[in-house]
Amino acid sequence: MTEKENEDRIDAEIEEKEKERRSKNMISEGVQGAEIVEEMEKAYIDYAMSVIVQRALPSVEDGLKPVHRRILHTMNLLGLDPSKPTIKSARIVGDAMGKFHPHGNIAIYDALVRMAQDFSLRYPLIHGQGNFGSLDGDSAAADRYTEAKLSKIASALLEDIDKDTVKMMPNYDNSLKEPETLPGKLPNLLLNGATGIAVGMATNIPPHNLNELCDAIMAYIDNPEVTIDDLIQIVKGPDFPTGGFALGPGIAEMYKTGKGKIVMRARTSEEEKKGKEYIIVTEIPYMVNKADLVKDIARLATEKKLTDIADIWDESAKGKIRIVIELKKSVDSKYTLNKLYKLTNMQTNFDANILALVGKQPRILNLKDVVSEYVKYRRLIVTNRSKFELRKAEDRLEIVVGLLIALKHIDEIVDFIKKCKSTAEAHEGLMKKWNLTDRQAKAVLETRLQQLTSLEHGKLKDEESKLKEAIDYLRRVLDSDKEVLKIIRKEVGEVRKDYGDERRTRIIKKLEELSEEDLIEKKDVVVMLTSSGYIKRVDVKTYREQHRGGAGVIGAGLKEEDFVMKMITCSTHDNLLFFTSRGRVYWLKANDVPSAERQSKGRAIANLLNLRDEKIANVMAITNFDSGYLIFATKLGIVKKLPTKDLANPRSTGVRIMNLPMDGSDEIINVTRIEDKQEVLLVTKDGQAIRFNSDDVRSMGRASYGVIGVDLGKGDAVVSLMAIPKDGKTTVLTLTQEGYGKRSDIEDYRLTSRAGKGVINIKTDKTGDVVASVSVNDKDSVILTTNQGIVIRISMKELRVMGRATQGVRIVKLKEKDKVVDVVKVPIADDISEKGTLSEFVNDK
C-alpha cells in the first residue's frame, strides 16, 4: 500500500467515525429534546393545577381561597374572637406566613384588608381597626399600623373546627396541621362572592343577601326536587355591598347556567334648591372607584360630552356616599342620567362566572348546584360533629358511672386504698374488686375529697341522665339522614336570625338597553339652512306667534349676501335627509345639528356632511323608514316615487336617488313622504297648480330619473310639492316673494291626471313669484323666513279661506330688497300640546 493510499484510508476512517459520532449526538439530542418537552408539559400542568387549587379558585364548601382560609385559621389559633381586643395586623400576617402561607406578607395583608372592607365584602369576615382603605381607591395603612380580629359572622365559618369536623392536612413544612376547608356554617361562596384568575379559567361570583340564601337552603332541604326557577323566586339577585341597582336577564341566566352578565347602576335622586336642579348619587356600582367616577364626569363635562352638567362635587362623609351633580337650566334630568349611564361607570357590567372547586375539581355551578353542595357538605360536618360529641359523651358517661360506683362504696374504697402500698396496686385492685375500667379506676383515684359530698352525688346523677339522653339523641342523628337535615335547617335559621339583614341592592328584572334616543331629549326644534351652507338647530319655543302683518324677529345673524334657504320643524329624535340639487341624499341625526342661539349664523354644513361640490336643495325630517314612499319633484316638473325603505341604511358618502341630466338643466326642488293612493299637489312659481293621485307615478329604483308631473309654461318652474291628507280636509297656504299669501280650500283644485297644465293657484301680477305652498288647517302655525334673516310666525286662525284665483293678503311687512324665501308649517296638535312639548307656543300674541 502506497503512502497516499494509506493516508486516504486513514481519512476515510476518521470521516466514518465523525459521522458515527454526529449520529449518536443527534439521537442523544433527540432523546434529550423529548425529555425536555415531557418535563415542560408536566411542570406546566403541575403549575396550572397549583394555581387552580392552591391560589385562585374558592372551594364550594366554605367559599374561601387558601390564603383567606389560612388567615382566618391563624386568627382563630391566636384567639382573636369577636369578644377579644384587636392585635396588630403584622402579627397576624407573620403567623399566617410562618405557619401556613409562605408566599409573601404583601399577598396575605392584601387579602386580610379586603376581608375587613365593608365595600368589598357584603359581610366582612374581619373587624379592622385603623385605615383599611376607602371607596376612593385609597390604600390601607401598613400592617404595623392597623389592628384586626375576627368579626362576629366569621365565627359561623369556624364553628366546630375543634370537633374533628374537617380534614386536617400537613402545612408546607409538615410541622403543623391546617384545615382543608373550614366547617362553613355560613353559605359563604355566594354570600361574599369571589374573584380569581387561574390558568385557562377564571371565577367571578357576585355577593348575595344572607336572608335570601338561607331561605333558599331551607326550601331545598324541605324539597330536594325544588327547581332553579323556584329558587330564583327566593334569591332575587346579587346584593352588592355598595347597593345600587342590578338588572338584566343575565341574573336569571347566571342562576341557571352559572354564567351571565349583570348590569349594575348607581342609585340617584333629584333635588331642587333655589331654582337649581341637582342629581344626587347616593350609591355606586360594586368595585367602582368613587374618586375616579367624579373625575370622569367632570372631564366629560369639560370636553362638552355631558353638556347638561354645570358642576359636580363630592359631599361623601362617614361612609355615606353623596355625589352632587348640578344641572344647567331647563335640562331634563332623565336624558342627563341616561348619558351618565352610557358614558361613565355609573353603569357597569358584572360578568358572572360561578366557578368553584368541588372536591378539588373546578366546576361551573348553577344556583341549585351551590345550594345542594352546601347541604351535602354541612351533612358531612354535622355527621362528623355528632360522632365526635358521641365519643365525648360516651367517654364522659363511663367516668360518671365509675364515680357513682365509687361513691356508693366510698367507705370500702377508702379503706382499700389506705391499705394499698402503691398507686398501681390501688388501680389494679379497684378494677378487679369493683369491676371498674381502666379510665374509671384512674378517675376514682384522682377524685378530690370535696367531690365525696352528697351534693356532688346529685350532680353526677343529673349529669348521667343528661349524658344518656344526649347519647340516645346523637345515635338517632347518626342513624337518620332526616335528623341531620333537621339540624342543618335549624342552624341555617339561626344564622339567618343572628346575622341576616335587609337587601341593599334593588333588583330590576327588565333591562331596557339605552338606545340613542334615550340619550337625547325629545323636543321640537327648528333646523335652519342658509344659501351659503350654514346650518343650526334652535328650540321651536324661541319663535313666539305674532299677528298677521307683524314685522317678525331676527331669525339668524347672516352675512350680507346670505339668506335662509330652508327651515323645517322636527324632533331631536328624527333623522334628517339632505337632498342635493344633483340627486344625492345624505343622512344626519337632528340632534347632531349644532344647537345655536336665534341670532347666530350656525355652522358650515360642509363640516357635518361629506358633500361632493353639491348644494343642498331640500331637507326632510323622517322618524322611521318602515313604510310609505318618498316622492320627488324637480324644477322642470319631473316627479319620481321611491320606497322609503330604500333609504334605511345611512352611508357617510351619501347615495344617489335620482339620475338627473348631466348638463345641470334640472334639479330637485322638493321631497315629501306619501302613502298608497295619496294625492299630491305641484305648485309653480307663476301661480299654477296641478292635483293628481300619486299612484299615477309608479315606484322606481334609485338610479331612475322619473316621469312628467306637470306641463310647464315657458319660463315657469315647480317651486313646491305638497302631499294632500287622505281625508281631504285641508287648505292650501300659498306664499309669494313680496310677503303676500292666501288660504284656499283643497277642493277648489280639481283632481286630474299627471302631466297636465293644472289650474290657477294665485295671481302673481303684483305679489311676485310663488315661494311655496303648504297644507294647513286652523290649528296650524307657519314660520316665514326672508333672505335677510327675518322670521315671523303666524297662526292660521288669522287667515280666512278665500278663492284660489285671488292674490291674497299681506302676510309680512318686508324691508326694502327683502324677499320671502321659505315657509314651514308648525303643527300644534292637541295630543302634542297635552304632552307639553309645544305648550308655550302661543304666548305674547
Side-chain angles (χ1 to χ4, degrees), residues 608-626:
L608 303 176
L609 301 178
N610 189 20
L611 297 176
R612 302 177 179 179
D613 298 326
E614 299 169 287
K615 291 184 179 180
I616 300 298
N618 202 355
V619 184
M620 179 179 178
I622 187 167
T623 303
N624 65 76
F625 298 86
D626 296 336

Side-chain angles (χ1 to χ4, degrees), residues 53 55 250 484 488 530-531 687 709-710 762 806 819 834:
V53 177
R55 190 181 305 174
V484 174
I488 296 172
T530 73
S531 64
V710 60
I762 189 172
T806 62
K819 302 288 184 183
E834 288 173 1

Side-chain angles (χ1 to χ4, degrees), residues 652-845:
S652 60
T653 56
V655 297
R656 181 168 296 282
I657 42 84
M658 199 171 194
N659 193 15
L660 292 168
M662 296 296 293
D663 60 5
S665 59
D666 199 7
E667 62 183 28
I668 294 175
I669 55 93
N670 209 351
V671 184
T672 188
R673 193 170 186 180
I674 58 169
E675 299 176 0
D676 290 327
K677 299 180 180 180
Q678 189 169 3
E679 297 173 1
V680 294
L681 186 74
L682 283 178
V683 176
T684 74
K685 72 174 184 178
D686 289 345
Q688 292 293 112
I690 183 171
R691 176 184 175 188
F692 59 89
N693 195 311
S694 64
D695 285 0
D696 291 350
V697 184
R698 64 181 177 82
S699 178
M700 308 176 190
R702 289 192 289 109
S704 62
Y705 179 30
V707 296
I708 297 174
V710 60
D711 183 8
L712 296 173
K714 187 176 180 180
D716 200 2
V718 175
V719 295
S720 187
L721 168 67
M722 186 180 80
I724 300 172
K726 279 193 171 183
D727 59 10
K729 295 178 181 179
T730 188
T731 60
V732 179
L733 173 67
T734 302
L735 276 300
T736 68
Q737 288 181 339
E738 300 300 329
Y740 285 83
K742 72 176 184 64
R743 288 175 65 193
S744 301
D745 197 304
I746 189 64
E747 296 303 325
D748 290 349
Y749 302 83
R750 70 177 184 273
L751 182 66
T752 65
S753 299
R754 68 172 178 84
K757 289 187 176 292
V759 297
I760 296 174
N761 177 35
I762 189 172
K763 291 184 177 181
T764 59
D765 300 340
K766 300 178 182 179
T767 62
D769 292 341
V770 174
V771 173
S773 291
V774 291
S775 172
V776 295
N777 58 46
D778 289 341
K779 293 181 179 180
D780 290 332
S781 293
V782 295
I783 296 177
L784 280 70
T785 183
T786 73
N787 59 9
Q788 293 183 10
I790 299 299
V791 177
I792 183 171
R793 181 174 172 195
I794 301 171
S795 171
M796 289 298 96
K797 292 179 181 178
E798 305 231 346
L799 279 178
R800 66 181 178 85
V801 178
M802 57 186 73
R804 63 176 172 80
T806 62
Q807 72 175 16
V809 296
R810 182 171 289 280
I811 300 295
V812 58
K813 292 179 181 179
L814 298 175
K815 296 179 182 179
E816 188 178 354
K817 296 183 180 180
D818 199 6
K819 302 288 184 183
V820 174
V821 294
D822 201 6
V823 59
V824 62
K825 181 173 70 173
V826 183
I828 310 181
D830 291 339
D831 59 328
I832 295 178
S833 299
E834 288 173 1
K835 295 176 184 176
T837 54
L838 299 177
S839 60
E840 299 178 20
F841 258 179
V842 185
N843 53 30
D844 286 342
K845 286 188 176 180

Side-chain angles (χ1 to χ4, degrees), residues 72-73 76-77 81 150 152-168 179-186 374 377-392 473-474 477 484 487-488 490-492 494-495 499:
L72 295 177
H73 182 54
N76 189 50
L77 293 178
D81 62 73
L150 292 170
K152 290 182 179 179
I153 200 169
S155 60
L157 273 175
L158 292 155
E159 189 175 312
D160 300 326
I161 195 172
D162 55 349
K163 295 183 178 180
D164 296 342
T165 51
V166 295
K167 184 178 179 181
M168 303 297 287
E180 284 192 351
T181 54
L182 298 184
K185 188 176 180 181
L186 203 65
Y374 169 84
Y377 180 63
R378 286 300 296 170
R379 185 187 284 117
L380 175 64
I381 296 299
V382 171
T383 300
N384 289 345
R385 183 184 66 197
S386 298
K387 290 178 180 178
F388 176 84
E389 291 176 346
L390 179 61
R391 288 196 306 271
K392 288 290 184 182
Y473 170 71
L474 290 170
V477 168
V484 174
I487 292 172
I488 296 172
K490 178 185 175 184
E491 291 180 347
V492 169
E494 291 172 350
V495 168
Y499 307 111

